């Protein structure tokens, strides 16, 4: 029998993450805006301040709490992860990638400004994420070496073995049918790796011992894939107004998705199974699966 879970509300966890992280992102946007001249500085603030669901931020906060972390400075780790995520969205929307006009309910950065400006914004946000993370490590008063390990985790997830590699495979696969293994590699890379890193970083910031970190990594691995499967489903079942981005984009770009491979119902079931497996990893390690459990279920049952 699994242990009883403390009940948490995912919408409340997300609202808390938004409140705590958006204020930090706005402050960084203002600070960087004084250094980066003109339209590029403005566009950088536009991208950072455009409101997202803040799922990755909520995962950082929940993972940190699950290992007993109590410092409010954890919000800056969450802001660093959201900064990497924002850069990836700005570049993902560019004409040379997914070529989209709508993001988070607003015109994409290259539509609101222009392609060269949005390209610069994306590149500028990567070192900003590093600065935000470094500030977080100082404020959390982490032991020497922790910042290096955390930076390694975040930027490995953002690189060729994670987000960049997954996106690369995704772009190469447009118009081509992938099998399930190929699709899983794309999803785990382009979306799952950063989500996994969010969970591990929360644990690292809380100075969790190796077994707890390993459980958070496994949890993050499962919910990271589940998140992208749910995204595949929403692409065909939700409207652009609900999503804040263009619905039906995967079909328009002839992308292989869990829906194209197995249909909506089986894709939903697969995501649900991954979410429950994720919770199981935490329970097996004796971690509090309250907040992370609520987020795992939200990730696969969400409507936007
Ligand atoms: C140079 C090949 C190359 C890649 C650069 C652009 C890029 C790196 C990677 C793209 C990664 C990406 C955008 C994956 C999709 C992840 C995803 C499902 C995003 C939507 O996340 P939500 O729903 O968005 O959490 P909000 O807006 O709520 O934050």
């Amino acid at each position: 029998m699994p242990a009883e879970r403390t009940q948490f509300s995912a919408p409340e966890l997300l609202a808390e993450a938004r409140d705590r992280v958006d204020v930090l992102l706005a402050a960084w946007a203002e600070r960087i805006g004084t250094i980066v001249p003109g339209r590029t500085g403005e566009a950088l603030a536009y991208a950072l301040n455009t409101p997202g669901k803040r799922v990755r931020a909520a995962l950082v906060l929940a993972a940190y709490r699950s290992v007993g972390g109590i410092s409010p400075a954890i919000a800056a780790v969450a802001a660093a992860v959201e900064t990497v995520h924002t850069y990836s969205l700005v570049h993902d929307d560019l004409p040379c990638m997914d070529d989209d006009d709508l993001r988070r309910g607003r015109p994409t950065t290259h539509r609101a400004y222009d392609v060269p400006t949005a390209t610069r914004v994306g590149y500028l946000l990567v070192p900003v994420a590093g600065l935000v993370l470094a500030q977080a490590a100082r404020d959390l008063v982490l032991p020497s070496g922790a910042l290096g390990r955390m930076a390694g985790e975040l930027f490995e997830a953002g690189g060729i073995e994670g987000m960049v590699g997954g996106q690369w495979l995704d772009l190469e696969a447009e118009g081509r049918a992938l099998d399930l293994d190929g699709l899983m590699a794309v999803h785990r890379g382009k979306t799952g790796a950063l989500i996994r890193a969010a969970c591990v970083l929360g644990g690292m910031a809380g100075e969790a011992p190796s077994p707890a970190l390993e459980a958070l990594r496994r949890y993050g691995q499962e919910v990271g894939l589940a998140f992208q499967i749910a995204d595949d489903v929403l692409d065909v079942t939700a409207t652009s107004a609900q999503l804040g981005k263009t619905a039906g984009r995967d079909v328009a770009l002839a992308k292989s998705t869990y829906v194209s491979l197995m249909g909506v119902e089986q894709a939903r079931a697969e995501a649900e199974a991954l979410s429950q497996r994720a919770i199981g990893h935490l329970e097996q390690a004796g971690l509090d699966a309250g907040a992370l459990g609520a987020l795992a279920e939200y990730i696969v049952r969400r409507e936007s």
Side-chain angles (χ1 to χ4, degrees):
M1 272 277 283
E4 283 232 337
R5 268 168 41 203
T6 323
Q7 289 306 306
F8 278 86
S9 138
E12 282 174 20
L13 292 167
L14 291 167
E16 185 207 348
R18 271 197 298 277
D19 284 350
R20 294 179 61 186
V21 163
D22 286 7
V23 66
L24 295 179
L25 294 176
W28 276 97
E30 202 179 324
R31 185 167 159 189
I32 304 296
T34 63
I35 309 167
V36 178
R39 271 168 72 74
T40 302
E42 253 177 60
L44 186 139
Y46 176 83
L48 268 187
N49 289 328
T50 303
K53 293 185 289 296
R54 305 303 185 209
V55 172
R56 293 150 193 83
L59 287 168
V60 173
L61 302 184
Y64 180 65
R65 278 199 194 124
S66 78
V67 300
I70 54 166
S71 169
I74 187 61
V77 177
V81 175
E82 287 288 340
T83 303
V84 172
H85 174 53
T86 296
Y87 124 71
S88 79
L89 298 180
V90 171
H91 276 192
D92 187 50
D93 292 331
L94 287 171
C96 64
M97 294 210 200
D98 280 5
D99 191 10
D100 221 327
D101 298 339
L102 185 68
R103 174 66 72 179
R104 294 175 167 172
R106 293 185 184 172
T108 47
T109 308
H110 70 276
R111 281 282 174 193
Y113 292 85
D114 52 67
V115 170
T117 303
T119 306
R120 279 194 294 274
V121 164
Y123 289 132
L124 279 163
L125 283 173
V126 179
V128 171
L131 292 173
V132 181
L133 186 68
Q135 182 68 52
R138 283 195 293 276
D139 292 349
L140 285 161
V141 201
L142 292 174
S144 78
L147 173 59
R149 287 190 293 278
M150 290 169 75
E153 188 70 35
L154 179 57
F155 292 108
E156 187 175 303
I160 189 70
E161 291 172 279
M163 195 170 74
V164 168
Q167 176 80 346
W168 188 338
L169 291 174
D170 193 37
L171 292 169
E172 280 191 341
E174 267 174 31
R176 218 160 40 80
L178 290 175
D179 63 14
L180 194 55
D181 282 347
L183 183 61
M184 223 186 278
V186 168
H187 282 14
R188 283 197 193 285
K190 80 168 180 179
T191 306
L194 189 62
I195 288 180
R196 185 195 63 220
C199 303
V200 176
L201 286 168
M204 285 176 152
E207 298 180 63
S210 305
L213 274 187
E214 187 49 33
L216 287 171
R217 186 179 300 283
R218 288 182 182 188
Y219 164 91
Q221 174 105 346
E222 312 282 23
V223 295
L225 178 56
F227 188 96
Q228 184 57 53
I229 298 175
D231 198 81
D232 289 357
V233 170
L234 287 168
D235 187 68
V236 298
T237 59
T239 63
S240 301
Q242 276 173 301
L243 297 176
K245 61 180 180 177
T246 316
R249 205 68 196 129
D250 295 337
V251 177
L253 294 171
K255 284 196 184 194
S256 293
T257 66
Y258 268 68
V259 172
S260 71
L261 287 196
M262 58 178 71
V264 167
E265 284 319 311
Q266 217 187 315
R268 278 199 177 121
E270 184 63 28
E272 187 68 37
L274 284 161
S275 154
Q276 294 307 317
R277 216 154 52 220
I279 296 169
H281 292 309
L282 303 177
E283 289 172 342
Q284 272 164 28
L287 290 181
D288 181 353
L292 287 171
L295 290 171
E297 285 169 357
Y298 159 81
I299 278 171
V300 296
R301 298 175 196 171
R302 67 202 162 95
E303 288 171 2
S304 65

